[in-house]
Amino acid sequence: LLQDHQLHAAELERTFIAIKPDGVQRGLIAEIVSRFERKGFKLVAIKIVVPSKEFAQKHYHDLKERPFFNGLCDFLSSGPVVAMVWEGEGVIKYGRKLIGATDPQKSEPGTIRGDLAVAVGRNIIHGSDGPETAKDEIALWFRPIELVSYTSNAEKWIYEVN
Ligand code: IDP
Ligand code: MG
């Protein structure tokens, strides 16, 4: 007989979320973690790291033709980044909603960037933009053993089970 969490385990999606050096330096780690946590998403991996520039270039490889690519990779590798994997129904798409538009001037109030950032190059947070990038980014930043599968006691109150 499958337990509730085992039913979910097969279905639940995961996304990669990172608090960039500006978010860390500004003391926004708890604020950002809190928004994902209160929503009902589950934290399955977290670590603080200073990525190398080469690593930043891998992370942002899709943007290598853009004029801001070099500055972006310099910035991401300039200090500590909090790398996370969050799990939950619809977490990839809804995570992007919590984050808000790329340019904080266009992010809605109530979103992380809308509430907490001003400049596009200092928009404090990264979130995977789709299932393929989520998979690739999780694999780039984490070893499988760093991802922790567990049952949250709140799950039965967050999802419609039984
Ligand atoms: P996203 O972070 O909302 O997914 P992307 O288009 O993937 O946005 O760009 C990655 C990051 O590059 C952005 O979060 C932002 O920090 C930076 N960026 C995007 N567009 C610009 C720009 O026009 N000037 C400077 N930095 C930019
Ligand atoms: Mg992106």
Side-chain angles (χ1 to χ4, degrees):
L1 189 66
L2 283 176
Q3 301 295 310
D4 295 338
H5 72 277
Q6 293 174 308
L7 287 170
H8 279 294
E11 292 164 25
L12 285 189
E13 63 183 56
R14 290 174 169 178
T15 194
F16 174 71
I17 300 292
I19 305 172
K20 299 182 192 180
D22 47 348
V24 173
Q25 293 297 336
R26 290 179 53 203
L28 296 172
I29 298 169
E31 167 74 36
I32 290 169
V33 167
S34 174
R35 289 180 181 221
F36 281 83
E37 196 174 37
R38 287 183 301 169
K39 168 70 176 168
F41 294 137
K42 181 162 61 174
L43 185 62
V44 298
I46 185 167
K47 62 183 171 187
I48 186 162
V49 287
V50 181
S52 67
K53 182 156 185 191
E54 294 66 33
F55 190 93
Q57 288 166 337
K58 273 188 201 162
H59 172 75
Y60 279 128
H61 68 276
D62 283 349
L63 299 171
K64 63 175 175 290
E65 308 302 334
R66 307 296 288 276
F68 55 83
F69 179 70
N70 190 53
L72 176 63
C73 294
D74 275 339
F75 183 66
L76 191 73
S77 58
S78 69
V81 170
V82 173
M84 298 176 279
V85 178
W86 286 88
E87 184 181 272
E89 279 181 23
V91 70
I92 300 171
K93 204 167 177 190
Y94 207 90
R96 296 278 294 187
K97 257 177 139 156
L98 288 177
I99 289 169
T102 302
D103 180 354
Q105 298 288 350
K106 296 181 179 133
S107 309
E108 294 297 325
T111 66
I112 291 166
R113 287 168 174 166
D115 288 350
L116 305 170
V118 176
V120 69
R122 297 290 183 273
N123 62 6
I124 72 172
I125 181 167
H126 167 84
S128 306
D129 62 11
E132 282 308 309
T133 47
K135 198 165 162 283
D136 292 349
E137 290 171 359
I138 291 168
L140 176 66
W141 287 80
F142 289 97
R143 290 173 294 138
I145 199 170
E146 294 178 290
L147 305 175
V148 180
S149 291
Y150 62 99
T151 304
S152 155
N153 196 40
E155 268 163 57
K156 59 181 173 289
W157 304 102
I158 292 168
Y159 296 104
E160 296 181 62
V161 291
N162 302 324

